[in-house]
Amino acid sequence: MTIKIKFGPDNQIPPVIQTPLPPRTEKIHSSINDMVGIGRLRKTNPSSLEKEKDRDKDKEKDKEKVAEILAELESFIGLVIVKRLIRDLQAFVEIQRRRSQEKLIAEPLVLHMIFKGNPGTGKTTVARIVGRLFKEMGVLQKGHIIECERADLVGEYIGHTAQKTRDQLKKALGGVLFIDEAYSLARGGEKDFGKEAIDALVKAMEDNKDNLVLILAGYSQEMDWFLQTNPGLRSRFPIHIDFPDYTIEELLAIGKMMFKSRQYELTLAAEDTLRFHLQTLLSSHRYAGNARLVRNLVEKTIRQQAVRLFQKPSSSREELIQILPIDINMDNL
């Protein structure tokens, strides 16, 4: 490349140095696929901002699911104390999670429970709610529930019980193991194989405390006796929930809801008859204050209505829907 120096007419003026511009070259456009080596463009991973957005979306979905589960719990008739305790548990789990995130000391999440109450008062239903709730809150991996009783845990010979109990525990990992009438495990005394099942359960609670919730359920007095037979059990179950019997108004509301869900309607006279029968049951039956008895009465009433309408050659839509006082009968209930 030639460099030209040009002097002006006055020797005092410094010379001008002219450097020719480099020749223009055409821009070469290469497709991404043709570019190789270090300079080749690569598909980039999602930015940290996008990842953060995805995490926020997941958290929002989890919150929505938790809200749906709690709304389902609130829709149940009665169980006021139970609902409050479940919300308390939700708050406890969430705050311990936040404390852990801030590197603060967090209380261990020991969530094994004792459910005490008569049959049909909602114990199994609430246990299912607990499993689903803890899954969405990140406490349990699966949130399913395995329901069992003494016959599912206790074997017929030495060594059989431990294996049967371990099998049930294995199925329940990541969720809830719900044992109904749990006090029956201690009824046989020291030589009964039920004690072997209790020992296996206690060991599993320690080995899988981060991924298993054990719920023992049964009648109130029997469960109190059961916990006294093994002093170590009470301390391992910090959460005790009492399920009260339903009141007459709650039983009536449950009955009406069951009829409605099946597309039946009580006449005013039939509603009075249903109230009268439920009141009679409450005063004469030890375990009358539960939803299971109401369900049996509802199903029996529907069958009675069918027998009544079957006598006619045809039925109108209104007749197929209406429940009359004559359809409600407690015989053989």
Side-chain angles (χ1 to χ4, degrees), residues 69-78 83 257:
I69 294 170
L70 292 175
E72 181 182 343
L73 177 64
E74 289 297 329
S75 70
F76 296 155
I77 295 169
K83 293 172 184 176
M257 182 182 66

Side-chain angles (χ1 to χ4, degrees), residues 57-69:
K57 286 181 181 179
D58 290 339
K59 288 180 180 178
E60 285 301 316
K61 287 181 180 178
D62 291 341
K63 287 182 180 178
E64 290 175 3
K65 290 178 180 177
V66 168
E68 289 176 5
I69 294 170

Side-chain angles (χ1 to χ4, degrees), residues 68-69 72 127-137 143:
E68 289 176 5
I69 294 170
E72 181 182 343
R128 292 169 183 160
I129 291 283
V130 165
R132 290 164 51 203
L133 179 64
F134 285 170
K135 175 184 180 296
E136 300 306 333
M137 295 187 69

Side-chain angles (χ1 to χ4, degrees), residues 85-97 137:
L85 285 172
I86 296 300
R87 287 194 174 275
D88 289 349
L89 284 176
Q90 179 204 9
F92 171 74
V93 170
E94 174 61 20
I95 294 306
Q96 298 312 308
R97 183 185 66 80
M137 295 187 69

Side-chain angles (χ1 to χ4, degrees), residues 150 154 181-198 222-223 225-230 233:
R150 178 186 166 92
V154 179
E181 298 185 359
Y183 49 81
S184 63
L185 295 175
R187 276 187 169 168
E190 286 295 321
K191 295 183 180 180
D192 184 69
F193 292 140
K195 185 178 182 299
E196 189 179 349
I198 295 173
E222 283 84 346
M223 289 304 295
W225 167 83
F226 172 60
L227 293 174
Q228 290 173 2
T229 62
N230 189 323
L233 279 177

Side-chain angles (χ1 to χ4, degrees), residues 30-32 34-42:
S30 299
S31 67
I32 292 177
D34 294 334
M35 300 179 70
V36 295
I38 297 175
R40 179 173 178 174
L41 296 176
R42 293 187 177 92

Side-chain angles (χ1 to χ4, degrees), residues 104-136:
L104 295 171
I105 296 175
E107 291 292 321
L109 295 179
V110 181
L111 300 171
H112 305 301
M113 307 178 194
I114 299 291
F115 284 6
K116 296 186 286 186
N118 290 329
T121 50
K123 297 188 294 296
T124 306
T125 302
V126 172
R128 292 169 183 160
I129 291 283
V130 165
R132 290 164 51 203
L133 179 64
F134 285 170
K135 175 184 180 296
E136 300 306 333

